[in-house]
């Protein structure tokens, strides 16, 4: 099987007769043996990306190739993350975004957080240059789940504020990225309240015969707004049963230049007017000679990956997966731009190197029996190092806080298929987190060290979680699919304190959580699809929720030993209108009710509502189960082929949230946002013009507890903004690709919602890829 446009082989083409008594699938080079079909049989060729073809076998028996025409709009494609097994989007009730390899290669995003913006359905918050916190339906940080190659990244110290952990995944080695919107606790357990972002890195490829296959790929990317350079190299080798993939990526990203065109009413908001440097051995506040340059936003990062694959037979597959990511120190620009009187408040405020190590071993057994059709076992270990350093202006004492987390996990996922209409996914998961926290003050002149307040419990913390799930899919008819699922989770959390300010020295929390979901897909005709979901989700409190001591803005957060899981109850309705091969219009509405939602609230410690911390007086807050809150919203999208070469894509997202218990706005709710693109493709060339936009986030809609980073906004909130962008690319087959992009074409100043760092100004991006 080959594509009619470029004669490229097509793998995974389903080939069957009308009765489906005989069926087969093309291999990785598009080859299939038709001898299983009688000469007078009708043979159907079907693939999600191509128009279906039908032949009498005798009519094609003399042909060496059968060509298929690519669909102009890919209405049916597969996803993996929704059920942890490959299935068509036409039988999945969830709203799903998929970034496939081609889209990832064309992306100008510098990190695995930035590439998500191209979906048009995910807002990205950035606290600092080395940041990127995705927001899904008003949920962020530890209320969405990050997964890489089946291993959950969320750990015991994932914050409820803003997270940059997504950037520790190397976007240069990704094969695909899938985003499932809405509660998906059935398949993934705790944390998946807003959805799941699942990154899949490339797997080593086996040779089709006894000859070894070798591939080398390299790419280099330059970004003018940061004077940034990214270099990537990967090497793969494969034989019939063994294969290996080695990858390395290095990023050197400088300080970000912001846009020069700005509304005069903004004043100098968003500019870096001053910085601190040592002059004569003393901290001094100096004027920034180039206010358009956001000092202290640059950083470097190194990402390494090694995979080894062993496939002894058609039924067994083993993959060893090793990943390591480390960075330079990453400055907290949101803290370094704060003033205390006429001087800046901090001389230093930065994260230490962000270190993430992952080792996993996956086994896939594909041997149909009474218990399963496929069984996947995944054992993983992670080691995370997260450090913070701060020193106030003209204070010689530097506060150092260091956290180390070890994560052990085991996943068992089974799939059982009965005929073509019944499918059962079931399995179990276990994970354990160990958290060690240290802190000290170090005199920058003498080197003397003194004990300091740790961010997390001084005596260490441990968490255990065990769960089991089942999800059943019943295809009653080609027009109706039902999905039912349930999961039970049991969690234990333990921490030990030695803080004289606290009225306790231990926290022990035990809880269980039961969740369920029911979904329906109804396809009355080839022009319409209706999706409906009723689901519940949960999130166990972690160490960051119940055990943290942390100061930001005017607040200090202290531990709360009485936290319990937060639950969501979600109703979702999606309507899609298709014009086969030409257009898809989708409208999704959702309402989420949060019960026992974990939010910040004013608090008293030992009868006092204020606390002196690190030399300053702060108002005391704590995380608590608020009682009730709600989030509702709507997502709209359109994909349309205007003609054979032009494609229009557009998205628009609106979200609203409210804390019912305190009668205040809920934090992390982004303003209205979206993306529109016009793309022209001809043979190996494309040009894409796209607009990214975000509405006002007014101060009346801010949470009063700091989650929306009110201190980074102007007087009335975060202003609306838009950017015009253009990129063009050319491909010379498998050996060379070139992309040139101009982002923020009109050099406009903007600052995304809740961000500490402003967006880049006019940005020239050049990407070149080479393959052998």
């Amino acid at each position: 099987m080959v594509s009619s446009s470029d004669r490229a082989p097509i793998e995974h083409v389903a080939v069957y007769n009308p009765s489906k008594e005989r069926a087969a699938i093309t291999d990785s080079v598009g080859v299939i043996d038709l001898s299983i079909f009688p000469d007078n049989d009708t043979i159907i060729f079907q693939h999600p990306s191509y128009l279906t073809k039908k032949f009498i076998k005798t009519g094609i028996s003399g042909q060496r190739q059968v060509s298929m025409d690519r669909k102009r709009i890919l209405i049916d494609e597969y996803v993996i993350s929704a059920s942890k097994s490959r299935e068509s989007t036409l039988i999945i009730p969830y709203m799903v975004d998929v970034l496939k390899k081609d889209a990832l290669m064309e992306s100008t995003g510098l990190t695995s957080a930035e590439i998500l913006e191209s979906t048009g359905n995910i807002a990205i918050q950035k606290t600092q240059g080395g940041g990127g916190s995705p927001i899904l339906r008003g949920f962020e940080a530890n209320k969405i789940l990050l997964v890489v190659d089946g291993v959950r990244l969320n750990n015991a110290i994932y914050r409820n504020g803003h997270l940059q952990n997504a950037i520790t995944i190397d976007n240069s080695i990704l094969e695909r990225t899938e985003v499932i919107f809405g509660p998906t606790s059935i398949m993934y357990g705790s944390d998946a309240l807003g959805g799941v972002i699942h990154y899949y890195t490339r797997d080593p490829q086996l040779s089709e015969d006894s000859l070894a296959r070798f591939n080398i790929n390299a790419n280099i990317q330059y970004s003018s707004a940061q004077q940034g350079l990214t270099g990537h190299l990967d090497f793969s080798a494969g034989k019939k049963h063994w294969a290996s993939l080695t990858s390395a990526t290095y990023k050197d990203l400088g300080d970000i230049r912001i846009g020069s065109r700005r509304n005069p009413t903004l004043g100098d908001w968003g500019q870096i007017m001053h910085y601190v440097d040592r002059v004569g051995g003393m901290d001094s506040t100096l004027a920034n000679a180039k206010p358009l340059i956001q000092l202290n936003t640059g950083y470097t990062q190194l990402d390494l990956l090694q995979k080894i694959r062993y496939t002894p037979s058609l039924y067994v597959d083993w993959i060893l997966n090793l990943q390591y990511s480390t960075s330079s120190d990453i400055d907290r620009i949101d803290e370094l731009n704060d003033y205390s009187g006429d001087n800046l408040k901090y001389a230093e405020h930065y994260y230490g190197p962000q270190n993430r190590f992952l080792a996993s071993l996956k086994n896939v057994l594909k041997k149909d029996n009474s218990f399963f059709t496929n069984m996947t076992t995944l054992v993983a270990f992670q080691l995370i190092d997260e450090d913070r350093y701060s020193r106030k202006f003209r204070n010689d004492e530097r506060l150092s806080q260091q956290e180390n987390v070890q994560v052990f996990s085991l996943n068992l996922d089974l799939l059982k298929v009965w005929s073509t209409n019944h499918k059962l996914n079931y399995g179990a998961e276990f994970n354990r987190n160990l958290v060690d926290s240290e802190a000290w003050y170090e005199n920058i002149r003498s080197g003397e060290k003194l004990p300091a307040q740790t961010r997390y419990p001084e005596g260490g913390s441990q968490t255990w979680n065990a769960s089991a799930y089942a999800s059943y899919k019943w295809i009653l008819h080609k027009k109706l699919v039902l999905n039912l699922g349930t999961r039970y989770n049991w969690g234990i959390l333990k921490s030990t304190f030695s803080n004289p300010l606290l009225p306790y020295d231990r926290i022990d929390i035990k809880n269980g959580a039961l969740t369920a979901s029911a979904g329906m897909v109804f396809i009355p005709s080839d022009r319409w699809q209706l999706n409906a979901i009723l689901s519940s989700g949960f999130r166990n409190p972690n160490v960051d929720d119940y055990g943290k001591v942390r100061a930001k803005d005017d607040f200090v957060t202290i531990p709360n030993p009485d936290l319990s899981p937060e639950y969501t109850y979600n109703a979702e309705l999606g309507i899609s209108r298709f014009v086969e091969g030409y257009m898809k219009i989708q409208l999704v509405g959702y309402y989420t009710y949060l019960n026992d939602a974990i939010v910040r609230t004013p608090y008293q410690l030992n009868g006092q509502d204020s606390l002196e911390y690190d030399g300053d007086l702060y108002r005391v807050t704590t995380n608590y189960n608020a009682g009730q809150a709600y989030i509702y919203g709507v997502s709209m999208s359109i994909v349309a082929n205007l003609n054979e070469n032009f494609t229009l894509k557009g998205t628009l997202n609106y979200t609203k949230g409210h804390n019912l218990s305190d009668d205040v706005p809920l934090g992390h709710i982004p303003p209205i946002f979206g993306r529109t693109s016009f793309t022209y493709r001809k043979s190996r060339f494309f040009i894409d013009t796209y607009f990214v936009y975000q509405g006002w986030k007014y101060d009346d809609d801010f949470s009063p507890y700091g989650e929306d980073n009110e201190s980074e906004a102007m007087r009335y909130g975060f202003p609306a903004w838009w950017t015009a962008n253009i990129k063009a690319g050319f491909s010379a087959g498998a050996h060379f690709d070139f992309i040139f992009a101009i982002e923020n074409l009109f050099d406009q100043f903007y600052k995304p919602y809740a961000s500490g760092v402003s967006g880049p100004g006019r940005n020239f991006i050049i990407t070149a890829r080479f393959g052998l």
Side-chain angles (χ1 to χ4, degrees):
M1 301 303 300
V2 298
S3 173
S4 61
S5 59
D6 57 8
R7 315 306 293 178
I10 309 172
E11 62 176 330
H12 301 309
V13 177
V15 183
Y16 55 91
N17 60 3
S19 65
K20 297 185 179 179
E21 294 175 347
R22 295 177 174 85
I25 297 177
T26 60
D27 61 19
S28 61
V29 292
V31 174
I32 190 171
D33 183 3
L34 298 180
S35 61
I36 62 172
F37 299 97
D39 289 342
N40 62 346
D41 209 352
T42 298
I43 305 177
I44 300 168
F45 297 82
Q46 189 177 58
H47 189 282
S49 302
Y50 294 82
L51 297 175
T52 300
K53 283 200 169 183
K54 185 186 298 185
F55 300 95
I56 303 296
K57 181 180 177 181
T58 54
I60 57 171
S61 57
Q63 301 181 28
R64 292 178 55 86
Q65 292 181 338
V66 174
S67 63
M68 299 183 72
D69 300 320
R70 179 176 287 274
K71 290 181 180 178
R72 296 182 184 177
I73 300 292
L74 302 184
I75 293 176
D76 181 16
E77 58 185 355
Y78 76 88
V79 295
I80 303 170
S81 54
S83 65
K84 297 188 178 181
S85 59
R86 183 176 175 133
E87 61 184 0
S88 166
T89 56
L90 290 180
I91 60 174
I92 297 173
Y94 297 102
M95 175 178 164
V96 180
D97 271 335
V98 180
L99 293 174
K100 293 185 287 189
K101 187 176 181 179
D102 289 347
L104 293 169
M105 291 180 66
E106 293 177 5
S107 171
T108 56
L110 300 178
T111 69
S112 288
E114 292 183 8
I115 62 173
L116 300 174
E117 292 181 299
S118 63
T119 66
N121 293 312
I122 301 175
I124 301 295
Q125 182 276 348
K126 281 190 175 183
T127 299
Q128 63 276 331
S133 185
I135 306 174
L136 276 65
R137 294 187 174 180
F139 291 97
E140 186 184 0
N142 59 18
K143 291 179 174 58
I144 63 173
L145 183 63
L146 300 181
V147 182
V148 60
D149 294 329
V151 179
R152 59 183 294 133
L153 296 186
N154 293 43
N155 58 56
I157 65 170
Y158 261 42
R159 303 186 295 279
N160 62 3
H162 311 287
L163 284 176
Q164 70 272 18
N165 300 71
I167 74 169
T168 66
I169 301 169
D170 182 9
N171 56 301
S172 298
I173 198 64
L174 292 177
E175 178 70 24
R176 63 191 285 119
T177 299
E178 298 181 359
V179 183
I180 312 296
F181 294 86
T184 47
S185 293
I186 301 303
M187 300 304 301
Y188 289 95
S190 179
D191 302 352
L193 301 183
V196 175
I197 301 174
H198 199 147
Y199 296 97
Y200 295 88
T201 61
R202 282 167 41 200
D203 284 334
Q205 296 301 303
L206 301 169
S207 175
E208 298 294 333
D209 49 40
S210 59
L211 298 177
R213 59 180 291 179
F214 299 94
N215 295 99
I216 298 177
N217 297 287
N219 67 263
I220 187 168
Q221 185 179 62
Y222 170 76
S223 171
S224 67
Q226 294 171 280
Q227 297 294 301
L229 199 61
T230 299
H232 169 81
L233 178 68
D234 67 73
F235 170 78
S236 61
K239 297 193 73 175
K240 192 169 185 178
H241 298 295
W242 287 90
S244 171
L245 172 64
T246 305
S247 167
T249 302
Y250 182 75
K251 298 174 183 176
D252 187 353
L253 306 177
D255 292 333
I256 301 171
R257 187 190 72 84
I258 64 177
S260 62
R261 294 187 60 186
R262 56 192 293 121
N263 188 322
T265 62
L266 300 180
D268 61 6
W269 176 68
Q271 293 182 333
I272 303 298
M273 305 305 295
H274 300 93
Y275 67 100
V276 174
D277 202 356
R278 302 282 286 180
V279 179
M282 181 180 293
D283 292 333
S284 300
T285 298
L286 305 176
N288 182 9
K290 298 179 179 180
L292 296 183
I293 302 297
Q294 293 185 103
L295 300 176
N296 305 307
T297 55
Y299 70 102
T300 62
Q301 182 169 319
L302 173 67
D303 296 294
L304 303 174
L305 177 143
Q306 176 65 56
K307 282 188 174 183
I308 298 174
R309 182 176 183 178
Y310 175 54
T311 307
S313 71
L314 294 175
Y315 310 109
V316 181
D317 199 20
W318 293 88
I319 295 182
L320 174 66
N321 186 354
L322 303 175
Q323 299 179 19
Y324 178 69
S325 177
T326 186
S327 72
S328 63
D329 293 339
I330 297 179
D331 288 306
R332 287 284 303 272
I333 187 176
D334 63 322
E335 300 286 357
L336 293 174
N337 64 7
D338 289 347
Y339 287 83
S340 178
D342 295 331
N343 291 303
L344 291 165
K345 183 176 180 179
Y346 287 97
E348 303 176 33
H349 210 303
Y350 59 93
Y351 289 108
Q354 297 184 103
N355 299 320
R356 179 182 68 88
F357 172 74
L358 179 150
S360 71
L361 180 63
K362 181 173 75 170
N363 170 255
V364 180
L365 181 60
K366 296 172 282 189
K367 192 74 171 178
D368 193 22
N369 55 53
S370 300
F371 298 100
F372 62 84
T373 304
N374 289 346
M375 180 176 71
T376 301
T377 306
L378 181 63
V379 182
F381 169 75
Q382 297 178 73
L383 182 62
I384 299 97
D385 177 25
E386 188 173 293
D387 307 328
R388 294 168 176 83
Y389 302 89
S390 62
R391 184 175 64 83
K392 291 185 176 177
F393 185 78
R394 291 187 178 172
N395 186 329
D396 290 341
E397 302 296 325
R398 179 192 292 123
L399 173 62
S400 302
Q401 295 177 307
Q402 296 189 353
E403 276 70 54
N404 292 283
V405 184
Q406 300 178 66
V407 184
F408 305 86
S409 62
L410 170 65
N411 291 75
L412 179 65
D413 299 298
L414 301 100
L415 166 67
K416 179 59 182 177
V417 178
W418 296 277
S419 67
T420 58
N421 299 325
H422 301 276
K423 176 181 175 183
L424 176 67
N425 292 90
Y426 65 103
E429 178 181 0
F430 170 82
N431 68 73
R432 184 187 184 195
N433 284 234
L434 303 177
V435 182
D436 292 316
S437 190
E438 297 179 286
W440 64 88
Y441 286 105
E442 181 177 359
N443 189 290
I444 62 171
R445 296 182 187 273
S446 67
E448 181 184 3
K449 293 184 179 181
L450 295 173
Q453 172 63 54
T454 58
R455 181 179 175 91
Y456 299 114
E458 303 89 330
S461 302
Q462 301 182 50
T463 69
W464 293 265
N465 283 281
S467 60
Y469 75 91
S471 177
Y472 175 65
K473 191 181 300 293
W474 183 14
I475 304 177
L476 286 84
H477 187 271
K478 67 179 181 180
K479 295 184 177 182
L480 182 62
V481 181
L482 296 181
N483 294 261
L484 300 171
T486 187
R487 186 184 191 108
Y488 183 75
N489 185 90
W490 176 252
I492 301 175
L493 308 98
K494 295 185 177 182
S495 295
T496 304
F497 296 85
S498 59
N499 189 335
L501 294 174
L502 300 176
Y504 43 79
D505 57 10
R506 286 184 62 85
I507 289 181
D508 290 278
I509 300 174
K510 298 179 182 179
N511 48 56
L514 178 66
T515 54
S517 70
M520 178 196 73
V521 179
F522 178 53
I523 307 175
S525 70
D526 58 1
R527 296 185 176 186
W528 293 95
Q529 179 173 328
L530 176 68
N531 296 354
I533 305 173
L534 293 174
S535 63
S536 60
F538 79 99
R539 195 183 75 81
N540 264 337
N542 64 14
V543 178
D544 188 85
D545 294 309
Y546 71 78
K548 175 174 63 179
V549 177
R550 175 247 196 180
K552 181 173 174 59
D553 298 332
D554 298 325
F555 303 95
V556 60
T557 303
I558 65 169
N560 180 357
D562 300 318
L563 281 182
S564 59
E566 54 186 340
Y567 290 87
T568 62
Y569 303 93
N570 184 69
E572 181 175 332
L573 182 64
I575 301 174
S576 299
R577 174 71 165 90
F578 301 104
V579 178
E580 171 70 15
Y582 295 92
M583 181 182 298
K584 176 183 178 181
I585 302 172
Q586 185 178 48
L587 178 66
V588 178
Y590 55 89
Y591 180 91
T592 301
Y593 175 78
L594 293 88
N595 190 38
D596 288 335
I598 298 175
V599 299
R600 293 180 199 161
T601 187
Y603 191 71
Q604 289 190 350
L605 180 64
N606 300 323
Q608 301 295 317
D609 62 2
S610 298
L611 174 68
E612 185 174 338
Y613 177 81
D614 196 24
D616 289 320
L617 192 65
Y618 295 92
R619 284 181 286 168
V620 177
T621 66
T622 193
N623 291 320
Y624 87 119
N625 294 104
Q628 296 85 35
Y630 67 77
I631 297 175
Y632 66 84
V634 62
S635 296
M636 296 170 282
S637 66
I638 181 172
V639 183
N641 272 97
L642 306 179
N643 62 26
E644 184 178 353
N645 304 110
F646 281 98
T647 302
L648 164 68
K649 295 182 179 180
T651 65
L652 191 65
N653 299 270
Y654 173 79
T655 313
K656 182 73 173 180
H658 196 76
N659 180 337
L660 292 170
S661 297
D662 294 341
D663 194 24
V664 295
L666 197 63
H668 302 287
I669 305 298
I672 191 170
F673 71 95
R675 190 178 192 272
T676 300
S677 67
F678 300 88
T679 307
Y680 173 83
R681 294 184 183 274
K682 181 72 173 180
S683 185
R684 300 181 184 273
F685 171 81
F686 80 89
I687 183 168
D688 185 15
T689 302
Y690 55 101
F691 302 86
V692 182
Y693 34 88
Q694 191 173 100
W696 264 94
K697 177 73 173 185
Y698 290 103
D699 59 342
D700 290 343
D701 295 324
F702 286 166
S703 164
Y705 307 128
E707 296 100 324
D708 295 313
N709 281 1
E710 184 176 356
S711 62
E712 295 298 327
M714 60 177 298
R715 179 179 178 184
Y716 301 109
F718 287 94
W721 56 268
W722 63 273
T723 62
N725 316 269
I726 188 169
K727 63 181 174 182
F730 173 77
S731 175
H735 302 295
F736 178 72
D737 292 281
F738 179 82
I739 297 175
F740 175 72
I742 308 176
E743 295 188 331
N744 196 355
L745 198 60
F746 301 114
D747 200 32
Q748 299 188 108
F749 168 79
Y750 69 99
K751 194 173 187 180
Y753 155 70
S755 292
V757 60
S758 301
R762 185 181 295 116
N763 191 11
F764 298 92
I765 302 174
I766 300 173
T767 307
R769 292 186 175 86
F770 310 89
L772 294 175

